[in-house]
Amino acid sequence: IGELSLLGVICAQVQEKKAYRLCAPFAPMDAAEAELTLARRYFTHYGPASLRDAAYFFRVPQTKVKAWLKQLDAREIRGDAARPPAVRL
């Protein structure tokens, strides 16, 4: 069972009794789609986050984060003197 699970053939089911099911077929994403998905998840779960925070987290230039934000349904939250502007999905 352990080896089948590591190979992605079976997946554990969430329930009281231990049970397994066949995993859904793996469909790889291209790099751009994967980066956009990760950015969406980042801003959804860690937002509001500044452009600088996201660039640091992903280790990419801020221009790349700006390009992702143009593709996402993001909105800017205005900051004040103590906090920079942030982005939230």
Side-chain angles (χ1 to χ4, degrees), residues 53-75:
D53 290 338
Y56 179 81
F57 181 84
F58 288 108
R59 304 280 195 256
V60 297
Q62 291 183 20
T63 54
K64 185 155 190 132
V65 177
K66 285 180 186 178
W68 293 338
L69 292 173
K70 286 181 183 177
Q71 297 176 54
L72 298 172
D73 185 27
R75 63 181 192 270

